[in-house]
Amino acid sequence: VTPDSPLRFGRGGLAEFAGSFEYPGGRAFLVTSEEVARVHGAAIRGAIGSRLLAEIRIDDREEKKTLAAVASILDRAVEAGLRRDDFVVAFGGGVVSDVAGFAAAVLLRGIQWYAVPTTLLAMADASIGGKTAVDHPAGKNLIGAFHSPSGVLIDPDLLDTLPDRQFRSGLVEIYKALLVGDAKGAEAFLGGLEAAARSRDADAPLLAAIRVKEAIVGRDPLERGERRVLNFGHTLGHAIEAFGGYRRFTHGEAVAVGMAVAGVLSAERAGLDAALASEIRRELAAFAKDAVEGADPASPAILRALDLDKKASSRGRAAVLLKAPGKPVLVEDLGPESWLEGLRRVRDGIVL
Ligand SMILES: NC(=O)c1ccc[n+]([C@@H]2O[C@H](COP(=O)([O-])OP(=O)(O)OC[C@H]3O[C@@H](n4cnc5c(N)ncnc54)[C@H](O)[C@@H]3O)[C@@H](O)[C@H]2O)c1
Ligand SMILES: [Zn+2]
């Protein structure tokens, strides 16, 4: 695993794609989606230019992030005569990069790939760190590979077409990265999430969040230890997402609830300043509102999802709490009941 993929960051950078990295000698196999191709297809094709071998558009709904999607990419690649010195370009959100990156990992036993993320979440998170995966009926991201892209190009201008709800979802993930890994950045961003959502400009915190993830992944590429801190807010967040059938709430909305609750639990069990925990909760309230209203703590479905998560997590996956911004701690004994109790209290605070 080489987690340190070269990164190009800048508005308008997509136009420079052809000169941005040291590409292998061959041609580009473009993987994107209908929606992303509709809004930015001409731009990426123009940026790739004459080296384009073929293009495939996959369905980028979460329920289609499956082995069948990977198979369709493999079929198209073989049909196009893909060779070892060709490379995949993943152009889309996290669904596209997870599927395309995994296809690149197995095509001809692994060819290079480049990520050009088009959602804020994919820029901050999914395209960084070399994890690729598809879902299995039994759970999310169960089938995949560590296969780092050979380059990541981030052009925030591509976000101009992104729906507000998706932009907001990405902001939550940025805030998470800063809270676990960049105390100054987290402090600077506190009070700024709503403003960033309105102005649609999160360039500075986005870059800071990428640096946090790169640093953590660089030290623990295979998630044997420290990398787990990036799951802050995700134990309960994943349960709420599952409860909503992965359609009702965005990932960021569910994780916003998980982070607000993790903040409360952090004040109780990990020594996080209580006033700061309240500020974090208030900061996230507008982002968490729909999910926290929808996620009834008494619902058996949430408890079931939390139980499943606990079973799946053997000894290795403890819960992440914060001692302070930039100082995450792993806590072993946080059961589903603690998360549900925290959810009840955050709910009472947010839903008036
Ligand atoms: N590999 C990792 O480390 C990692 C990390 C975080 C998330 N993920 C995965 O990422 C996925 C979520 O990614 P996501 O939040 O980017 O969602 P997504 O890929 O589903 O994209 C969200 C929606 O935005 C649309 N879209 C994308 N770019 C657009 C643009 N520029 N303009 C207009 N519409 C656009 C898409 O068509 C889609 O409907 C999940 O499957 C998650 O598991 C992976
Ligand atoms: Zn996440």
Side-chain angles (χ1 to χ4, degrees):
V1 185
T2 46
D4 47 344
S5 306
L7 183 89
R8 302 284 173 270
F9 186 103
R11 288 186 178 260
L14 179 62
E16 318 306 325
F17 178 72
S20 290
F21 304 104
E22 281 189 33
Y23 299 98
R27 303 150 299 169
F29 180 64
L30 175 62
V31 180
T32 185
S33 75
E34 278 308 332
E35 177 58 14
V36 173
R38 190 178 66 77
V39 288
H40 296 301
I44 186 71
R45 280 188 295 271
I48 292 174
S50 60
R51 290 182 84 180
L52 185 63
L53 168 66
E55 170 179 340
I56 183 169
R57 299 173 185 184
I58 60 169
D59 186 334
D60 64 4
R61 285 173 295 169
E62 182 69 35
E63 60 261 45
K64 299 286 180 182
K65 197 178 103 172
T66 60
L67 271 179
V70 176
S72 71
I73 294 175
L74 305 185
D75 288 346
R76 183 83 180 84
V78 170
E79 178 192 299
L82 186 97
R83 298 189 299 249
R84 281 215 53 80
D85 65 341
D86 295 329
F87 52 91
V88 169
V89 176
F91 186 61
V95 169
V96 166
S97 61
D98 271 9
V99 174
F102 184 50
V106 295
L107 267 168
L108 307 177
R109 299 196 184 87
I111 62 170
Q112 294 189 47
W113 73 288
Y114 296 81
V116 184
T118 63
T119 65
L120 187 57
L121 187 120
M123 292 178 184
D125 197 356
S127 65
I128 311 294
K131 277 190 189 175
T132 73
V134 296
D135 302 335
H136 184 276
K140 249 182 79 110
N141 295 329
L142 292 184
I143 302 164
F146 286 96
H147 185 48
S148 297
S150 297
V152 182
L153 185 141
I154 291 180
D155 178 353
D157 277 352
L158 291 169
L159 302 174
D160 288 352
T161 52
L162 192 69
D164 266 328
R165 203 172 164 200
Q166 297 295 340
F167 192 89
R168 297 175 70 87
S169 182
L171 285 174
V172 172
E173 205 71 72
I174 288 174
Y175 191 41
K176 175 214 73 182
L178 299 178
L179 276 175
V180 299
D182 180 351
K184 277 209 185 98
E187 197 190 328
F189 204 29
L190 189 64
L193 266 80
E194 200 53 51
R198 270 198 302 275
S199 70
R200 303 281 303 220
D201 178 355
D203 290 11
L206 166 60
L207 190 54
I210 291 169
R211 294 304 182 208
V212 167
K213 185 162 183 191
E214 283 182 332
I216 292 172
V217 169
R219 292 189 292 265
D220 178 20
L222 300 176
E223 195 163 331
R224 305 247 193 262
E226 186 193 357
R227 186 167 178 169
R228 289 181 285 161
V229 305
L230 291 167
N231 291 328
F232 181 66
H234 281 61
T235 304
L236 182 59
H238 282 151
I240 292 174
E241 252 187 311
F243 162 80
Y246 297 100
R247 277 180 304 272
R248 190 158 158 205
F249 316 116
T250 66
H251 180 66
E253 288 160 1
V255 169
V257 180
M259 284 167 61
V261 173
V264 169
L265 296 179
S266 296
E268 279 171 7
R269 300 178 180 234
L272 179 68
D273 179 67
L276 183 56
S278 305
E279 278 187 69
I280 292 171
R281 200 200 65 209
R282 273 198 297 278
E283 186 72 38
L284 291 167
F287 295 77
K289 193 165 183 300
D290 291 343
V292 91
E293 278 174 7
D296 177 2
S299 128
I302 294 190
L303 181 60
R304 208 160 43 235
L306 281 169
D307 267 334
L308 269 180
D309 183 82
K310 196 169 154 53
K311 281 206 196 76
S313 56
S314 61
R315 236 193 92 258
R317 270 203 292 158
V320 187
L321 297 180
L322 282 184
K323 199 168 153 189
K327 294 209 172 1
V329 286
L330 295 169
V331 178
E332 299 288 345
D333 61 345
L334 263 191
E337 203 35 60
S338 307
W339 289 109
L340 290 177
E341 177 54 29
L343 176 59
R344 276 180 211 109
R345 300 192 9 228
V346 163
R347 214 165 180 257
D348 292 344
I350 291 180
V351 185
L352 300 171

